[in-house]
Amino acid sequence: MSEQSTSAPPQRRTFLMVLPLLAFIALAVLFWFRLGSGDPSRIPSALIGRPAPQTTLPPLEGLQAGGAQVPGLDPAAFKGKVSLVNVWASWCVPCHDEAPLLTELAGDKRFQMVGINYKDAPDNARRFLGRYGNPFDRVGTDANGRASIEWGVYGVPETFVVGPEGTIVYKLVGPITPENYRAVLLPQMVKALKAGS
């Protein structure tokens, strides 16, 4: 009497062994294309159209302008002014790239420049501003990153336009460049000015 084979045919066994590998490759290709297809600066913010977070931040200790301490972040300061709020850190490479442009933007007195210094040592932050110039009318220190979470920050740098009623009207993820400043940021700031008139 001959023994009957109880195992699966060799072709079926090979297919079952290769199936998980094929599934993994398909998922890897899907993730690759999805991750590479978007522009991170176009990440939507749930805070657009909502009031800016009501978080008060202490000033960057020792940062002086005109012989006086530069004030920290006070949400009441947003009322009646269009504000450009920039979240930055001295250890952030793109922040170094955008710093000269922020200094140039500070010359436009139609807008209030507000800085949120993110998880930075005060000495390093002051040296950073000493190197490039301080474009900010106010600099709040976010030592533990909690305020940046309330602002919906994904990473530094990020910039917000806050309208004169204290509402966030636009968010830019990534550094300010001459291109995105002219094409997007300045038009949003001017639009906020007109809406507040």
Side-chain angles (χ1 to χ4, degrees):
M1 192 162 191
S2 65
E3 285 186 24
Q4 289 188 340
S5 174
T6 57
S7 63
Q11 286 180 334
R12 185 169 177 210
R13 234 181 302 144
T14 304
F15 176 72
L16 289 175
M17 289 175 54
V18 173
L19 187 61
L21 179 61
L22 292 173
F24 173 76
I25 290 172
L27 282 173
V29 168
L30 176 69
F31 287 138
W32 176 264
F33 282 110
R34 292 294 295 156
L35 287 175
S37 66
D39 178 0
S41 67
R42 295 185 183 268
I43 297 172
S45 175
L47 298 178
I48 302 294
R50 294 194 178 167
Q54 297 299 298
T55 306
T56 302
L57 291 175
L60 178 58
E61 205 56 48
L63 181 63
Q64 304 258 325
Q69 171 71 45
V70 173
L73 178 62
D74 179 1
F78 292 132
K79 298 292 184 186
K81 301 175 186 171
V82 173
S83 303
L84 189 71
V85 180
N86 181 257
V87 184
W88 63 280
S90 65
W91 48 261
C92 157
V93 174
C95 295
H96 286 265
D97 295 339
E98 75 174 3
L101 186 55
L102 281 170
T103 303
E104 186 180 315
L105 298 178
D108 190 339
K109 296 303 177 191
R110 297 177 296 170
F111 311 107
Q112 172 180 230
M113 301 287 285
V114 178
I116 296 177
N117 183 233
Y118 178 75
K119 293 186 176 183
D120 209 351
D123 289 342
N124 293 341
R126 282 192 304 274
R127 268 194 298 276
F128 177 91
L129 294 175
R131 178 179 180 186
Y132 296 107
N134 178 16
F136 303 115
D137 302 305
R138 301 176 163 274
V139 178
T141 304
D142 187 14
N144 62 10
R146 185 173 198 92
S148 297
I149 291 171
E150 292 177 17
W151 278 86
V153 172
Y154 296 102
V156 291
E158 289 191 16
T159 305
F160 299 83
V161 177
V162 178
E165 66 289 335
T167 301
I168 296 173
V169 295
Y170 183 74
K171 175 181 179 179
L172 175 70
V173 176
I176 299 171
T177 64
E179 294 77 24
N180 66 25
Y181 174 71
R182 280 191 305 273
V184 183
L185 200 56
L186 182 60
Q188 290 291 335
M189 294 164 69
V190 170
K191 182 177 168 185
L193 273 175
K194 289 179 181 174
S197 303

